[in-house]
Amino acid sequence: MAKNIQAIRGMHDVLPVQTPHWQFLESRVRDILGRYGYEEIRMPIVEFTELFKRSIGEVTDIVEKEMYTFQDRNGDSLTLRPEGTAGCVRAALEHGLLHNQTQRLWYQGPMFRHERPQKGRYRQFHQIGVETFGMPGPDIDAEVIAITARLWRELGIEGLELQLNTLGTSEERARYRDELVRYFSAHADRLDEDSRRRLHSNPLRILDTKNPEMAELVGGAPVLEAYLGDDSRRHFERLRGLLDAAGVAHVLNPRLVRGLDYYSLTVFEWVTDQLGAQGTVCAGGRYDGLVAQLGGRPTPAVGFAMGMERLIALLEARDRLPASARADVYLVVMGESAQGEGLALAERLRDALPRLRLLTHCGGGGFKAQFKRADRSGAQLALILGEDELGKGEVGVKHLREDKPQESIPLDRLAGYLSHTLGVQPPARNLP
Ligand code: HAM
């Protein structure tokens, strides 16, 4: 027998029992973003490799070792997007969305990184991201953070911590970087291999090391705070004031540097200790330099992205997801002669009650087998149509979740009965 082909490591199917969880989360996020006036943008999943090199940074883990890059048939180097910000800026620039206007955009979809898969870390994962353009002040930083705080509140997710830092301007960071290189060079013998490699290419990332043996050295390193200019300081202080005013608690984390190079000033992460090592469920910050870096006019920007798999894991662990019944009503059809009338009845009910979720039994089988399926569907009611019922012009109604006797309802009263019993409203046009 041929060997089964399996999914690629780190890339997962979302099975029908899980899809309602995804739909629930997606619809809640969409709803909240709509209430804040954000508009959806959809970008391709594949972009020119150059886009990610120029935005995320050549010397980052993502670009150095995690991208799915390939040559297409024209010989162009293309990459499956590892994140959404670069493509969103590219699209906004390409379509003139950034000229003398502000934008509040969001997107969702799969991202690809060739990381070592483990719980909460996948090679194909999904983000919902937000990007705003044209607003330089901390008010919009506070707004995007407030959106995330509202989302957790409305989803009933507790125990997330908002960590906040400022990275200053690129000039301030350059001076700080020199100081870091000096400090770490003086302790070169205590650097691990990764850090030695980063010493001259991306020394800020050394601060982000997960190696416990480096903790003491990193703990003694100079902090960026000391290199911030007045404007950067003021931006950060005002943001913190705004978050306080909005009741969004936060903690300062001077070691928060982020793994992508485009950030300036504000950076933040929402972190939980309930997911093991992969505890960041949402992250973002300001990136005032990126639009110009990709060929546009200087345009202030701030955004974030959340990891959908991690949020779903949190919701599942807390039992915060709606139970998923597939149907309200299951139609049991007994005997071949009832099949035609069964189909016609089902279509009439769907006309009369468009919100009714009606599952019709297909595939034959006796009463017992059909009721088993009816039960598994999660339906409240089973409708029974057999030769007896047909002869009398009625339908049997069995309550699957309640201890009530079976009823017989005349066919012409069935839609009204279902509407009343299940609270499924007929469409407005059918109302008298
Ligand atoms: P990021 O921190 O690379 O930022 O990713 C954002 C979130 O995506 C993470 O906090 C995490 O929840 C999720 N995530 C990242 N990698 C994986 C993975 N391998 N498996 C599962 N989940 C993952 C960005 O992507 C930026 N574009 C965010 C941003 C938007 N900044 C400004 N605008």
Side-chain angles (χ1 to χ4, degrees), residues 50 57 94 119 200 216 221 275 308 339 347 372 408 410:
E50 185 61 19
E94 189 167 331
K119 184 169 167 281
H200 293 284
E216 200 190 327
L275 292 177
M308 301 298 277
Q339 274 182 355
E347 290 305 318
K372 211 166 163 185
S408 293

Side-chain angles (χ1 to χ4, degrees), residues 328-329 348-357 380-381 383 397 409-428 430-432:
D328 306 309
V329 173
R348 281 202 307 277
L349 287 175
R350 290 181 179 115
D351 283 338
L353 302 169
R355 292 199 189 88
L356 179 74
R357 294 177 306 159
Q380 296 290 321
L381 301 177
L383 304 181
V397 176
I409 307 291
L411 278 169
D412 57 357
R413 281 187 35 221
L414 187 58
Y417 170 88
L418 292 177
S419 159
H420 179 257
T421 311
L422 298 166
V424 188
Q425 295 304 314
N430 281 8
L431 288 176

Side-chain angles (χ1 to χ4, degrees), residues 83 85 113 115 120 122 127 131 258 262-263 280 303-304 307:
E83 58 106 55
T85 309
R113 297 184 194 175
E115 297 192 77
Y122 310 105
Q127 288 184 342
E131 314 293 352
R258 310 276 299 124
Y262 47 63
Y263 292 106
T280 306
F304 64 80

